[in-house]
Each structure stands twice: as C-alpha cells, then as structure tokens.
Amino acid sequence: NMAPAAAPPGPPAVILPSYAAWFDPNAVHAIERRALPEFFDGSSAVKTELAYTEARNFIVSSYREQPALYLPLTEVRRHLAIDVAAATRLHRFLEHWGIINYVATPQAAAAAARAEHSGHGGAIVPDAPSTATAAAAALAQSRHTLSARPETFPSGGGSGWSDDDTLALLEALGRVGEGRWE
C-alpha cells in the first residue's frame, strides 16, 4: 500500500494588506497619481504613465516571485529605465502600502500560514483588516460621500468629505500604521 505522491509545492501565497485593496496591476489608481505625480503631469518625456506602469508592475512581479524574501531597492533599480530618485520613490510607495515586502510583518506571516493551510498557495490573499483600517477602506470604497448622507451629521455642521479627503485619510492611516489605532 503506497501513499500517493505529494503534489509539488505551488507558488507561495501573496498577502496583500486590506488597506491596499485598491491596488490593481491593470490600472493606475488615484492614490498612485497623487503620490507620484511626476509620471502623470506631462512634465517629462521619459516619466510617463506607461513608464510608471511598466516599472511598478516589474517591481510587483519581482516581489511576487518570492514574497517571503525582502525585495531591496538596489535589486530592482538596476532593471528599471527610470532615474534613481524616481525608482526610490516608487519602491517606497509600494512598500508603504504593503504591495511589496509586506510579508515580513507578523500579521502577514500569520496570513501566509493560513493561506498555505487552506490550499490557497499562489493566490493573492487579503489580510484581515483592523477595525480602523476596515472602516477607512469601507469609507474610501463607498460610492457615497458623507455629504450625500446628511443624517450622518444631524447638527448640519460640515460639508462632508470629498474623494480627495477620503484618499488623504487612507494615506494617513497607512503612514500611521495599524497598531496605533487599536
């Protein structure tokens, strides 16, 4: 009686933090346009949306090949056709949002372990959000602004939140970190 051969291991699961759920490798989000305007303002013949998308997707793909390993700037910089300062800002942006190098955190390690045990190897698995992060993400993804819901502010104070305000809130939450909100 021989046991069936174990299947070869698949690619590792990639953990994406819930606050980066906006990220789509096939599109450029407003958060990216605000964080790295030099690629989108038309001021450079070299720094274009296409150059940004290609560089961003190369970095993300490189990280996803081995998400358990830290992807340093020096490793990706030598493969990019953009200046060092732009490559540095792009790497920091992706790292800040947990799109790359997120798995080094204890939360991501736990999520990766859950993914491996549940058979999601190779999949992109969202990490469980904290309460504050989940609230901010829900606010950002809502199609309604607070100004469209006057019952939110019964006193009538304030004019509500614009899309820019919501994006600023999400960026601030990302900078502060989840641990300070609980």
Side-chain angles (χ1 to χ4, degrees):
N1 232 0
M2 293 185 56
V14 175
I15 308 302
L16 187 66
S18 59
Y19 52 81
W22 56 264
F23 177 72
D24 178 358
N26 300 312
V28 177
H29 194 276
I31 291 173
E32 295 170 284
R33 291 180 190 282
R34 285 186 53 199
L36 300 157
E38 70 220 56
F39 288 98
F40 309 104
D41 63 10
S43 64
S44 171
V46 184
K47 293 180 183 175
T48 63
E49 184 169 338
L50 178 62
Y52 171 80
T53 304
E54 288 177 352
R56 178 202 64 190
N57 288 351
F58 172 79
I59 294 171
V60 171
S61 295
S62 297
Y63 166 69
R64 288 182 175 178
E65 287 176 12
Q66 294 184 309
L69 298 179
Y70 179 82
L71 181 64
L73 171 63
T74 54
E75 178 61 33
V76 297
R77 200 180 81 207
R78 64 184 97 179
H79 301 286
L80 298 176
I82 57 176
D83 64 80
V84 174
T88 301
R89 284 188 295 277
L90 177 55
H91 185 272
R92 284 184 182 162
F93 172 80
L94 295 171
E95 194 169 55
H96 165 80
W97 282 99
I99 297 166
I100 64 168
N101 295 332
Y102 179 70
V103 81
T105 67
Q107 296 90 348
R114 287 191 305 273
E116 294 303 320
H117 291 298
S118 66
H120 287 98
I124 298 172
V125 180
D127 193 8
S130 70
T131 305
T133 304
L139 178 62
Q141 292 176 358
S142 169
R143 293 182 188 264
H144 305 287
T145 64
L146 292 177
S147 61
R149 298 176 53 196
E151 70 279 4
T152 305
F153 297 104
S155 66
S159 62
W161 288 41
S162 69
D163 289 341
D164 286 341
D165 293 334
T166 303
L167 289 174
L169 171 63
L170 284 173
E171 289 172 356
L173 283 171
R175 281 193 301 274
V176 170
E178 292 187 24
R180 295 186 183 176
W181 293 94
E182 305 213 310

